[in-house]
Amino acid sequence: MTGAVDDYGRLIEAVAATRDRDAFARLFEHFAPRLKAYLMRAGAPPGAAEDFAQDAMLTVWRKADLFDPRRASAATWIFTIARNRRLDALRRESRPLPAPEMSLALEEPEQPDALVSEAEEAARLNAAMSELPPEQLDLLRLAFFQGDAHSEIARKLNLPLGTVKSRIRKAMIKLRIALEPLRETP
């Protein structure tokens, strides 16, 4: 990992620990323009991209204590926040979501250990999904991979909306349990 990557993580940790305004200013100065450019490439108009970038950085300020450098780099965490803010806004507006190929424009290349970790997590997810009953798996695919709203799924499959929501909730609970990190015993 490069020194800059570590520095950004440390800056987020300083914001979390002491609400360090200088650390946040450095994060904002570095990431805000990059977030705006990324969001514009993803289809957001310039004004909206700037709003999303500022909202994402405000979230970094408020939720810095949730950053975990073992799970993601600072850039990945911040870009994911911005991407999710934009997707949330599109959902509220009932606009079509961008294609799943929309990738995060990260500055640093993925580290080999991170790639291995991601591959292991993907394998665990695939194994956990293969254990789901077909009716739950089908609903997850429609909801998360195709981006269909619950009401649209209910209409497509001629199911009550409550049944769709219940099956998706049960599937998510099963996946969360299956994907919990292995607990170390002393």
Side-chain angles (χ1 to χ4, degrees):
M1 232 185 254
T2 66
V5 174
D6 292 339
D7 288 345
Y8 296 127
R10 282 194 279 278
L11 291 173
I12 294 172
E13 291 172 347
V15 170
T18 63
R19 291 291 179 218
D20 185 326
R21 290 179 184 268
D22 290 332
F24 181 74
R26 289 178 57 200
L27 285 167
F28 192 93
E29 182 180 318
H30 178 79
F31 284 105
R34 287 164 175 81
L35 291 174
K36 180 180 177 183
Y38 161 71
L39 292 162
M40 288 173 54
R41 282 193 309 273
E50 186 167 301
D51 290 344
F52 291 132
Q54 289 180 3
D55 185 43
M57 293 308 297
L58 180 60
T59 300
V60 169
W61 173 260
R62 287 190 323 244
K63 299 189 176 188
D65 56 320
L66 298 177
F67 173 68
D68 182 356
R70 296 171 308 217
R71 294 184 57 126
S73 71
T76 300
W77 188 67
I78 293 171
F79 275 84
T80 300
I81 290 170
R83 176 183 171 273
N84 289 344
R85 290 287 184 241
R86 178 170 181 260
L87 293 175
D88 289 344
L90 291 173
R91 283 187 190 101
R92 279 192 302 277
E93 297 172 5
S94 299
R95 291 179 47 200
L97 297 177
E101 300 84 53
M102 184 177 105
S103 63
L104 297 176
L106 302 179
E107 297 176 345
E108 69 272 351
E110 288 287 332
Q111 299 298 314
D113 57 338
L115 293 173
V116 170
S117 178
E118 288 174 14
E120 289 171 352
E121 288 178 20
R124 286 180 62 205
L125 177 60
N126 286 334
M129 288 182 72
S130 71
E131 297 295 320
L132 293 175
E135 64 272 5
Q136 290 178 356
L137 185 58
D138 292 342
L139 293 177
L140 284 183
R141 284 187 176 133
L142 289 170
F144 294 101
F145 299 127
Q146 292 184 15
D148 292 349
H150 292 177
S151 57
E152 187 177 337
I153 295 169
R155 184 187 49 75
K156 277 184 183 177
L157 300 179
N158 197 26
L159 291 170
L161 181 58
T163 301
V164 170
K165 290 182 175 188
S166 175
R167 287 181 183 169
I168 289 174
R169 185 173 43 252
K170 287 178 182 176
M172 294 302 292
I173 290 168
K174 288 178 184 176
L175 289 177
R176 186 173 355 134
I177 291 168
L179 297 175
E180 279 184 352
L182 299 174
R183 295 193 176 110
E184 294 181 30
T185 53

